[in-house]
Structures are given as structure tokens and as C-alpha cells.
PDB file of all heavy atoms in Angstrom:
ATOM      1  N   SER A1069       0.814  -1.220  -0.005  1.00 93.00           N
ATOM      2  CA  SER A1069       0.002  -0.004   0.004  1.00 93.00           C
ATOM      3  C   SER A1069       0.843   1.266   0.008  1.00 93.00           C
ATOM      4  O   SER A1069       0.336   2.346  -0.295  1.00 93.00           O
ATOM      5  CB  SER A1069      -0.948   0.007   1.205  1.00 93.00           C
ATOM      6  OG  SER A1069      -0.221  -0.138   2.410  1.00 93.00           O
ATOM      7  N   ALA A1070       2.153   1.146   0.311  1.00 97.00           N
ATOM      8  CA  ALA A1070       3.026   2.313   0.332  1.00 97.00           C
ATOM      9  C   ALA A1070       4.446   1.903  -0.029  1.00 97.00           C
ATOM     10  O   ALA A1070       4.919   0.857   0.411  1.00 97.00           O
ATOM     11  CB  ALA A1070       3.019   2.972   1.704  1.00 97.00           C
ATOM     12  N   ILE A1071       5.083   2.736  -0.851  1.00 98.00           N
ATOM     13  CA  ILE A1071       6.472   2.474  -1.242  1.00 98.00           C
ATOM     14  C   ILE A1071       7.272   3.753  -1.036  1.00 98.00           C
ATOM     15  O   ILE A1071       6.866   4.831  -1.443  1.00 98.00           O
ATOM     16  CB  ILE A1071       6.577   2.049  -2.727  1.00 98.00           C
ATOM     17  CG1 ILE A1071       5.823   0.734  -2.982  1.00 98.00           C
ATOM     18  CG2 ILE A1071       8.043   1.884  -3.137  1.00 98.00           C
ATOM     19  CD1 ILE A1071       5.867   0.259  -4.424  1.00 98.00           C
ATOM     20  N   GLY A1072       8.421   3.583  -0.418  1.00 98.00           N
ATOM     21  CA  GLY A1072       9.300   4.721  -0.205  1.00 98.00           C
ATOM     22  C   GLY A1072      10.647   4.266   0.285  1.00 98.00           C
ATOM     23  O   GLY A1072      10.896   3.060   0.400  1.00 98.00           O
ATOM     24  N   GLY A1073      11.493   5.215   0.574  1.00 98.00           N
ATOM     25  CA  GLY A1073      12.810   4.837   1.051  1.00 98.00           C
ATOM     26  C   GLY A1073      13.645   6.031   1.421  1.00 98.00           C
ATOM     27  O   GLY A1073      13.164   7.167   1.458  1.00 98.00           O
ATOM     28  N   PRO A1074      14.909   5.751   1.706  1.00 98.00           N
ATOM     29  CA  PRO A1074      15.816   6.793   2.172  1.00 98.00           C
ATOM     30  C   PRO A1074      16.174   7.782   1.076  1.00 98.00           C
ATOM     31  O   PRO A1074      16.416   7.397  -0.064  1.00 98.00           O
ATOM     32  CB  PRO A1074      17.052   6.026   2.645  1.00 98.00           C
ATOM     33  CG  PRO A1074      17.011   4.738   1.865  1.00 98.00           C
ATOM     34  CD  PRO A1074      15.570   4.435   1.638  1.00 98.00           C
ATOM     35  N   THR A1075      16.181   9.060   1.451  1.00 95.00           N
ATOM     36  CA  THR A1075      16.649  10.064   0.527  1.00 95.00           C
ATOM     37  C   THR A1075      18.153   9.876   0.373  1.00 95.00           C
ATOM     38  O   THR A1075      18.809   9.469   1.322  1.00 95.00           O
ATOM     39  CB  THR A1075      16.284  11.479   1.042  1.00 95.00           C
ATOM     40  OG1 THR A1075      16.389  12.406  -0.003  1.00 95.00           O
ATOM     41  CG2 THR A1075      17.091  11.920   2.205  1.00 95.00           C
ATOM     42  N   LEU A1076      18.726   9.927  -0.639  1.00 94.00           N
ATOM     43  CA  LEU A1076      18.473  10.479  -1.945  1.00 94.00           C
ATOM     44  C   LEU A1076      18.234   9.370  -2.969  1.00 94.00           C
ATOM     45  O   LEU A1076      17.630   9.627  -4.011  1.00 94.00           O
ATOM     46  CB  LEU A1076      19.671  11.361  -2.335  1.00 94.00           C
ATOM     47  CG  LEU A1076      19.615  12.079  -3.641  1.00 94.00           C
ATOM     48  CD1 LEU A1076      18.624  13.218  -3.646  1.00 94.00           C
ATOM     49  CD2 LEU A1076      20.964  12.596  -3.984  1.00 94.00           C
ATOM     50  N   GLY A1077      18.678   8.169  -2.661  1.00 94.00           N
ATOM     51  CA  GLY A1077      18.547   7.092  -3.629  1.00 94.00           C
ATOM     52  C   GLY A1077      17.125   6.777  -4.047  1.00 94.00           C
ATOM     53  O   GLY A1077      16.843   6.491  -5.199  1.00 94.00           O
ATOM     54  N   ALA A1078      16.196   6.854  -3.098  1.00 97.00           N
ATOM     55  CA  ALA A1078      14.809   6.506  -3.384  1.00 97.00           C
ATOM     56  C   ALA A1078      14.024   7.639  -4.041  1.00 97.00           C
ATOM     57  O   ALA A1078      13.012   7.392  -4.682  1.00 97.00           O
ATOM     58  CB  ALA A1078      14.101   6.068  -2.099  1.00 97.00           C
ATOM     59  N   ASP A1079      14.483   8.879  -3.901  1.00 97.00           N
ATOM     60  CA  ASP A1079      13.686  10.025  -4.339  1.00 97.00           C
ATOM     61  C   ASP A1079      13.173   9.928  -5.780  1.00 97.00           C
ATOM     62  O   ASP A1079      11.970  10.016  -6.012  1.00 97.00           O
ATOM     63  CB  ASP A1079      14.463  11.333  -4.157  1.00 97.00           C
ATOM     64  CG  ASP A1079      14.744  11.669  -2.697  1.00 97.00           C
ATOM     65  OD1 ASP A1079      14.479  10.829  -1.809  1.00 97.00           O
ATOM     66  OD2 ASP A1079      15.241  12.779  -2.450  1.00 97.00           O
ATOM     67  N   PRO A1080      14.046   9.755  -6.783  1.00 98.00           N
ATOM     68  CA  PRO A1080      13.517   9.705  -8.141  1.00 98.00           C
ATOM     69  C   PRO A1080      12.683   8.464  -8.417  1.00 98.00           C
ATOM     70  O   PRO A1080      11.738   8.514  -9.203  1.00 98.00           O
ATOM     71  CB  PRO A1080      14.766   9.751  -9.019  1.00 98.00           C
ATOM     72  CG  PRO A1080      15.904   9.377  -8.142  1.00 98.00           C
ATOM     73  CD  PRO A1080      15.501   9.720  -6.741  1.00 98.00           C
ATOM     74  N   ILE A1081      12.991   7.365  -7.747  1.00 98.00           N
ATOM     75  CA  ILE A1081      12.223   6.125  -7.944  1.00 98.00           C
ATOM     76  C   ILE A1081      10.813   6.333  -7.420  1.00 98.00           C
ATOM     77  O   ILE A1081       9.832   5.955  -8.067  1.00 98.00           O
ATOM     78  CB  ILE A1081      12.906   4.933  -7.228  1.00 98.00           C
ATOM     79  CG1 ILE A1081      14.327   4.737  -7.744  1.00 98.00           C
ATOM     80  CG2 ILE A1081      12.071   3.663  -7.412  1.00 98.00           C
ATOM     81  CD1 ILE A1081      15.161   3.768  -6.909  1.00 98.00           C
ATOM     82  N   VAL A1082      10.691   6.956  -6.255  1.00 98.00           N
ATOM     83  CA  VAL A1082       9.393   7.221  -5.647  1.00 98.00           C
ATOM     84  C   VAL A1082       8.550   8.129  -6.549  1.00 98.00           C
ATOM     85  O   VAL A1082       7.363   7.884  -6.764  1.00 98.00           O
ATOM     86  CB  VAL A1082       9.575   7.845  -4.240  1.00 98.00           C
ATOM     87  CG1 VAL A1082       8.297   8.451  -3.718  1.00 98.00           C
ATOM     88  CG2 VAL A1082      10.114   6.798  -3.277  1.00 98.00           C
ATOM     89  N   GLY A1083       9.167   9.160  -7.099  1.00 97.00           N
ATOM     90  CA  GLY A1083       8.433  10.049  -8.000  1.00 97.00           C
ATOM     91  C   GLY A1083       7.897   9.309  -9.208  1.00 97.00           C
ATOM     92  O   GLY A1083       6.725   9.461  -9.592  1.00 97.00           O
ATOM     93  N   ALA A1084       8.740   8.478  -9.812  1.00 98.00           N
ATOM     94  CA  ALA A1084       8.306   7.708 -10.990  1.00 98.00           C
ATOM     95  C   ALA A1084       7.218   6.706 -10.622  1.00 98.00           C
ATOM     96  O   ALA A1084       6.241   6.532 -11.358  1.00 98.00           O
ATOM     97  CB  ALA A1084       9.504   6.989 -11.604  1.00 98.00           C
ATOM     98  N   LEU A1085       7.356   6.057  -9.464  1.00 97.00           N
ATOM     99  CA  LEU A1085       6.338   5.098  -9.023  1.00 97.00           C
ATOM    100  C   LEU A1085       4.998   5.784  -8.805  1.00 97.00           C
ATOM    101  O   LEU A1085       3.946   5.210  -9.132  1.00 97.00           O
ATOM    102  CB  LEU A1085       6.774   4.407  -7.733  1.00 97.00           C
ATOM    103  CG  LEU A1085       7.733   3.247  -7.906  1.00 97.00           C
ATOM    104  CD1 LEU A1085       8.428   2.919  -6.594  1.00 97.00           C
ATOM    105  CD2 LEU A1085       7.006   2.034  -8.465  1.00 97.00           C
ATOM    106  N   GLY A1086       5.014   6.987  -8.251  1.00 97.00           N
ATOM    107  CA  GLY A1086       3.763   7.718  -8.040  1.00 97.00           C
ATOM    108  C   GLY A1086       3.047   7.972  -9.342  1.00 97.00           C
ATOM    109  O   GLY A1086       1.837   7.737  -9.457  1.00 97.00           O
ATOM    110  N   VAL A1087       3.781   8.408 -10.346  1.00 97.00           N
ATOM    111  CA  VAL A1087       3.174   8.704 -11.657  1.00 97.00           C
ATOM    112  C   VAL A1087       2.674   7.435 -12.335  1.00 97.00           C
ATOM    113  O   VAL A1087       1.526   7.351 -12.773  1.00 97.00           O
ATOM    114  CB  VAL A1087       4.176   9.463 -12.576  1.00 97.00           C
ATOM    115  CG1 VAL A1087       3.632   9.578 -13.988  1.00 97.00           C
ATOM    116  CG2 VAL A1087       4.504  10.817 -12.005  1.00 97.00           C
ATOM    117  N   ILE A1088       3.527   6.422 -12.436  1.00 97.00           N
ATOM    118  CA  ILE A1088       3.162   5.196 -13.138  1.00 97.00           C
ATOM    119  C   ILE A1088       2.019   4.462 -12.416  1.00 97.00           C
ATOM    120  O   ILE A1088       1.104   3.962 -13.053  1.00 97.00           O
ATOM    121  CB  ILE A1088       4.377   4.263 -13.317  1.00 97.00           C
ATOM    122  CG1 ILE A1088       5.447   4.933 -14.189  1.00 97.00           C
ATOM    123  CG2 ILE A1088       3.970   2.915 -13.904  1.00 97.00           C
ATOM    124  CD1 ILE A1088       5.052   5.238 -15.615  1.00 97.00           C
ATOM    125  N   SER A1089       2.036   4.455 -11.085  1.00 96.00           N
ATOM    126  CA  SER A1089       0.949   3.790 -10.360  1.00 96.00           C
ATOM    127  C   SER A1089      -0.365   4.522 -10.601  1.00 96.00           C
ATOM    128  O   SER A1089      -1.413   3.883 -10.738  1.00 96.00           O
ATOM    129  CB  SER A1089       1.256   3.676  -8.871  1.00 96.00           C
ATOM    130  OG  SER A1089       1.308   4.944  -8.245  1.00 96.00           O
ATOM    131  N   HIS A1090      -0.340   5.843 -10.676  1.00 96.00           N
ATOM    132  CA  HIS A1090      -1.556   6.609 -10.962  1.00 96.00           C
ATOM    133  C   HIS A1090      -2.076   6.293 -12.356  1.00 96.00           C
ATOM    134  O   HIS A1090      -3.270   6.048 -12.540  1.00 96.00           O
ATOM    135  CB  HIS A1090      -1.284   8.109 -10.824  1.00 96.00           C
ATOM    136  CG  HIS A1090      -2.473   8.948 -11.179  1.00 96.00           C
ATOM    137  ND1 HIS A1090      -3.574   9.062 -10.364  1.00 96.00           N
ATOM    138  CD2 HIS A1090      -2.740   9.675 -12.299  1.00 96.00           C
ATOM    139  CE1 HIS A1090      -4.462   9.845 -10.962  1.00 96.00           C
ATOM    140  NE2 HIS A1090      -3.977  10.229 -12.132  1.00 96.00           N
ATOM    141  N   ILE A1091      -1.192   6.283 -13.341  1.00 96.00           N
ATOM    142  CA  ILE A1091      -1.582   5.963 -14.710  1.00 96.00           C
ATOM    143  C   ILE A1091      -2.218   4.571 -14.790  1.00 96.00           C
ATOM    144  O   ILE A1091      -3.198   4.365 -15.499  1.00 96.00           O
ATOM    145  CB  ILE A1091      -0.376   6.076 -15.666  1.00 96.00           C
ATOM    146  CG1 ILE A1091       0.028   7.551 -15.829  1.00 96.00           C
ATOM    147  CG2 ILE A1091      -0.679   5.440 -17.028  1.00 96.00           C
ATOM    148  CD1 ILE A1091       1.360   7.768 -16.528  1.00 96.00           C
ATOM    149  N   LYS A1092      -1.658   3.625 -14.026  1.00 94.00           N
ATOM    150  CA  LYS A1092      -2.145   2.237 -14.060  1.00 94.00           C
ATOM    151  C   LYS A1092      -3.326   2.008 -13.121  1.00 94.00           C
ATOM    152  O   LYS A1092      -3.854   0.906 -13.050  1.00 94.00           O
ATOM    153  CB  LYS A1092      -1.008   1.264 -13.717  1.00 94.00           C
ATOM    154  CG  LYS A1092       0.059   1.239 -14.789  1.00 94.00           C
ATOM    155  CD  LYS A1092       1.140   0.231 -14.454  1.00 94.00           C
ATOM    156  CE  LYS A1092       2.152   0.171 -15.545  1.00 94.00           C
ATOM    157  NZ  LYS A1092       2.021  -0.985 -16.387  1.00 94.00           N
ATOM    158  N   GLY A1093      -3.746   3.045 -12.397  1.00 94.00           N
ATOM    159  CA  GLY A1093      -4.877   2.900 -11.498  1.00 94.00           C
ATOM    160  C   GLY A1093      -4.595   2.086 -10.253  1.00 94.00           C
ATOM    161  O   GLY A1093      -5.478   1.479  -9.674  1.00 94.00           O
ATOM    162  N   VAL A1094      -3.338   2.088  -9.822  1.00 92.00           N
ATOM    163  CA  VAL A1094      -2.927   1.352  -8.625  1.00 92.00           C
ATOM    164  C   VAL A1094      -2.927   2.324  -7.443  1.00 92.00           C
ATOM    165  O   VAL A1094      -2.269   3.357  -7.495  1.00 92.00           O
ATOM    166  CB  VAL A1094      -1.512   0.756  -8.802  1.00 92.00           C
ATOM    167  CG1 VAL A1094      -1.057   0.061  -7.531  1.00 92.00           C
ATOM    168  CG2 VAL A1094      -1.478  -0.203  -9.999  1.00 92.00           C
ATOM    169  N   ALA A1095      -3.678   1.988  -6.406  1.00 87.00           N
ATOM    170  CA  ALA A1095      -3.717   2.837  -5.200  1.00 87.00           C
ATOM    171  C   ALA A1095      -2.422   2.627  -4.432  1.00 87.00           C
ATOM    172  O   ALA A1095      -2.202   1.571  -3.850  1.00 87.00           O
ATOM    173  CB  ALA A1095      -4.916   2.483  -4.357  1.00 87.00           C
ATOM    174  N   LEU A1096      -1.558   3.631  -4.463  1.00 94.00           N
ATOM    175  CA  LEU A1096      -0.257   3.492  -3.855  1.00 94.00           C
ATOM    176  C   LEU A1096       0.180   4.819  -3.249  1.00 94.00           C
ATOM    177  O   LEU A1096       0.171   5.846  -3.913  1.00 94.00           O
ATOM    178  CB  LEU A1096       0.755   3.056  -4.927  1.00 94.00           C
ATOM    179  CG  LEU A1096       2.185   2.798  -4.492  1.00 94.00           C
ATOM    180  CD1 LEU A1096       2.263   1.586  -3.574  1.00 94.00           C
ATOM    181  CD2 LEU A1096       3.039   2.573  -5.731  1.00 94.00           C
ATOM    182  N   LYS A1097       0.553   4.791  -1.981  1.00 96.00           N
ATOM    183  CA  LYS A1097       1.140   5.971  -1.349  1.00 96.00           C
ATOM    184  C   LYS A1097       2.652   5.890  -1.522  1.00 96.00           C
ATOM    185  O   LYS A1097       3.222   4.798  -1.530  1.00 96.00           O
ATOM    186  CB  LYS A1097       0.820   5.997   0.146  1.00 96.00           C
ATOM    187  CG  LYS A1097      -0.627   6.273   0.473  1.00 96.00           C
ATOM    188  CD  LYS A1097      -0.779   6.532   1.960  1.00 96.00           C
ATOM    189  CE  LYS A1097      -1.381   5.331   2.619  1.00 96.00           C
ATOM    190  NZ  LYS A1097      -1.652   5.535   4.048  1.00 96.00           N
ATOM    191  N   THR A1098       3.281   7.027  -1.683  1.00 97.00           N
ATOM    192  CA  THR A1098       4.746   7.067  -1.756  1.00 97.00           C
ATOM    193  C   THR A1098       5.271   8.001  -0.681  1.00 97.00           C
ATOM    194  O   THR A1098       4.571   8.908  -0.234  1.00 97.00           O
ATOM    195  CB  THR A1098       5.216   7.521  -3.154  1.00 97.00           C
ATOM    196  OG1 THR A1098       4.672   8.805  -3.440  1.00 97.00           O
ATOM    197  CG2 THR A1098       4.821   6.521  -4.229  1.00 97.00           C
ATOM    198  N   PHE A1099       6.511   7.766  -0.273  1.00 98.00           N
ATOM    199  CA  PHE A1099       7.092   8.557   0.796  1.00 98.00           C
ATOM    200  C   PHE A1099       8.603   8.552   0.700  1.00 98.00           C
ATOM    201  O   PHE A1099       9.196   7.714   0.040  1.00 98.00           O
ATOM    202  CB  PHE A1099       6.654   8.043   2.176  1.00 98.00           C
ATOM    203  CG  PHE A1099       7.132   6.645   2.470  1.00 98.00           C
ATOM    204  CD1 PHE A1099       8.327   6.420   3.155  1.00 98.00           C
ATOM    205  CD2 PHE A1099       6.386   5.545   2.076  1.00 98.00           C
ATOM    206  CE1 PHE A1099       8.773   5.134   3.418  1.00 98.00           C
ATOM    207  CE2 PHE A1099       6.822   4.250   2.343  1.00 98.00           C
ATOM    208  CZ  PHE A1099       8.020   4.053   3.013  1.00 98.00           C
ATOM    209  N   ILE A1100       9.207   9.524   1.355  1.00 97.00           N
ATOM    210  CA  ILE A1100      10.669   9.651   1.449  1.00 97.00           C
ATOM    211  C   ILE A1100      11.018   9.728   2.938  1.00 97.00           C
ATOM    212  O   ILE A1100      10.349  10.413   3.704  1.00 97.00           O
ATOM    213  CB  ILE A1100      11.155  10.934   0.757  1.00 97.00           C
ATOM    214  CG1 ILE A1100      10.849  10.900  -0.739  1.00 97.00           C
ATOM    215  CG2 ILE A1100      12.632  11.186   1.006  1.00 97.00           C
ATOM    216  CD1 ILE A1100      11.614   9.852  -1.512  1.00 97.00           C
ATOM    217  N   VAL A1101      12.097   9.061   3.322  1.00 97.00           N
ATOM    218  CA  VAL A1101      12.576   9.120   4.697  1.00 97.00           C
ATOM    219  C   VAL A1101      13.847   9.973   4.716  1.00 97.00           C
ATOM    220  O   VAL A1101      14.850   9.614   4.101  1.00 97.00           O
ATOM    221  CB  VAL A1101      12.861   7.720   5.273  1.00 97.00           C
ATOM    222  CG1 VAL A1101      13.356   7.817   6.718  1.00 97.00           C
ATOM    223  CG2 VAL A1101      11.634   6.828   5.175  1.00 97.00           C
ATOM    224  N   ARG A1102      13.752  11.107   5.420  1.00 94.00           N
ATOM    225  CA  ARG A1102      14.921  11.987   5.573  1.00 94.00           C
ATOM    226  C   ARG A1102      15.893  11.372   6.582  1.00 94.00           C
ATOM    227  O   ARG A1102      15.498  10.607   7.445  1.00 94.00           O
ATOM    228  CB  ARG A1102      14.479  13.356   6.116  1.00 94.00           C
ATOM    229  CG  ARG A1102      13.626  14.152   5.179  1.00 94.00           C
ATOM    230  CD  ARG A1102      13.182  15.432   5.926  1.00 94.00           C
ATOM    231  NE  ARG A1102      12.435  16.299   5.059  1.00 94.00           N
ATOM    232  CZ  ARG A1102      12.988  17.213   4.260  1.00 94.00           C
ATOM    233  NH1 ARG A1102      14.286  17.357   4.239  1.00 94.00           N
ATOM    234  NH2 ARG A1102      12.239  17.966   3.486  1.00 94.00           N
ATOM    235  N   LYS A1103      17.166  11.810   6.498  1.00 84.00           N
ATOM    236  CA  LYS A1103      18.160  11.361   7.477  1.00 84.00           C
ATOM    237  C   LYS A1103      17.835  11.889   8.865  1.00 84.00           C
ATOM    238  O   LYS A1103      18.097  11.227   9.860  1.00 84.00           O
ATOM    239  CB  LYS A1103      19.549  11.812   7.046  1.00 84.00           C
ATOM    240  CG  LYS A1103      20.020  11.131   5.770  1.00 84.00           C
ATOM    241  CD  LYS A1103      21.447  11.499   5.422  1.00 84.00           C
ATOM    242  CE  LYS A1103      21.874  10.991   4.083  1.00 84.00           C
ATOM    243  NZ  LYS A1103      21.697   9.588   3.835  1.00 84.00           N
ATOM    244  N   ALA A1104      17.228  13.064   8.924  1.00 79.00           N
ATOM    245  CA  ALA A1104      16.820  13.672  10.201  1.00 79.00           C
ATOM    246  C   ALA A1104      15.570  14.507   9.945  1.00 79.00           C
ATOM    247  O   ALA A1104      15.345  14.960   8.825  1.00 79.00           O
ATOM    248  CB  ALA A1104      17.920  14.544  10.762  1.00 79.00           C
ATOM    249  N   ALA A1105      14.786  14.708  10.988  1.00 68.00           N
ATOM    250  CA  ALA A1105      13.573  15.526  10.849  1.00 68.00           C
ATOM    251  C   ALA A1105      13.948  16.953  10.502  1.00 68.00           C
ATOM    252  O   ALA A1105      14.985  17.461  10.938  1.00 68.00           O
ATOM    253  CB  ALA A1105      12.776  15.497  12.155  1.00 68.00           C
ATOM    254  N   LYS A1106      13.102  17.599   9.695  1.00 66.00           N
ATOM    255  CA  LYS A1106      13.316  19.004   9.367  1.00 66.00           C
ATOM    256  C   LYS A1106      13.239  19.836  10.635  1.00 66.00           C
ATOM    257  O   LYS A1106      12.494  19.507  11.557  1.00 66.00           O
ATOM    258  CB  LYS A1106      12.251  19.488   8.383  1.00 66.00           C
ATOM    259  CG  LYS A1106      12.430  18.986   6.993  1.00 66.00           C
ATOM    260  CD  LYS A1106      11.463  19.507   5.955  1.00 66.00           C
ATOM    261  CE  LYS A1106      10.353  20.383   6.368  1.00 66.00           C
ATOM    262  NZ  LYS A1106       9.478  20.811   5.283  1.00 66.00           N
ATOM    263  N   LYS A1107      13.958  20.922  10.665  1.00 67.00           N
ATOM    264  CA  LYS A1107      13.960  21.815  11.832  1.00 67.00           C
ATOM    265  C   LYS A1107      12.905  22.912  11.700  1.00 67.00           C
ATOM    266  O   LYS A1107      12.750  23.723  12.575  1.00 67.00           O
ATOM    267  CB  LYS A1107      15.335  22.466  11.996  1.00 67.00           C
ATOM    268  CG  LYS A1107      16.468  21.484  12.148  1.00 67.00           C
ATOM    269  CD  LYS A1107      16.432  20.835  13.491  1.00 67.00           C
ATOM    270  CE  LYS A1107      17.647  19.931  13.649  1.00 67.00           C
ATOM    271  NZ  LYS A1107      17.426  18.803  14.478  1.00 67.00           N
ATOM    272  N   HIS A1108      12.178  22.926  10.581  1.00 69.00           N
ATOM    273  CA  HIS A1108      11.169  23.956  10.341  1.00 69.00           C
ATOM    274  C   HIS A1108       9.912  23.307   9.751  1.00 69.00           C
ATOM    275  O   HIS A1108       9.873  22.099   9.535  1.00 69.00           O
ATOM    276  CB  HIS A1108      11.731  25.022   9.389  1.00 69.00           C
ATOM    277  CG  HIS A1108      12.150  24.460   8.072  1.00 69.00           C
ATOM    278  ND1 HIS A1108      13.343  23.793   7.907  1.00 69.00           N
ATOM    279  CD2 HIS A1108      11.534  24.451   6.867  1.00 69.00           C
ATOM    280  CE1 HIS A1108      13.443  23.391   6.657  1.00 69.00           C
ATOM    281  NE2 HIS A1108      12.370  23.772   5.999  1.00 69.00           N
ATOM    282  N   GLY A1109       8.903  24.116   9.513  1.00 68.00           N
ATOM    283  CA  GLY A1109       7.664  23.620   8.912  1.00 68.00           C
ATOM    284  C   GLY A1109       7.023  22.540   9.793  1.00 68.00           C
ATOM    285  O   GLY A1109       6.892  22.700  11.001  1.00 68.00           O
TER     286      GLY A1109
END
């Protein structure tokens, strides 16, 4: 139900998976795991 991984290696793969899964009608969440939590936002 969800695919993601560590930044930076997973970042472009996750983006492509989001687009292709949408085109194919696959319900899929994507995510990126940062090395550390952001200090803002």
C-alpha cells in the first residue's frame, strides 16, 4: 500500500512510481525518509 525509502537514492524512484501507479490505477502511497527531521515547517 506504500512504497518509499531513504533520501536520496529513493527520491527519483518514488516520483516515478507515483506517476506510473496513478496511470495504471494502482492505489499506492509514496514517501521519502529523511536522514533527520526538518527543523522547520
Side-chain angles (χ1 to χ4, degrees):
S1069 56
I1071 298 180
T1075 197
L1076 182 71
D1079 294 8
I1081 302 169
V1082 166
L1085 279 162
V1087 171
I1088 297 296
S1089 66
H1090 177 74
I1091 290 169
K1092 292 182 177 257
V1094 177
L1096 183 66
K1097 290 190 256 184
T1098 57
F1099 64 93
I1100 297 293
V1101 180
R1102 293 176 176 273
K1103 294 185 187 307
K1106 286 184 356 181
K1107 302 288 185 211
H1108 59 282

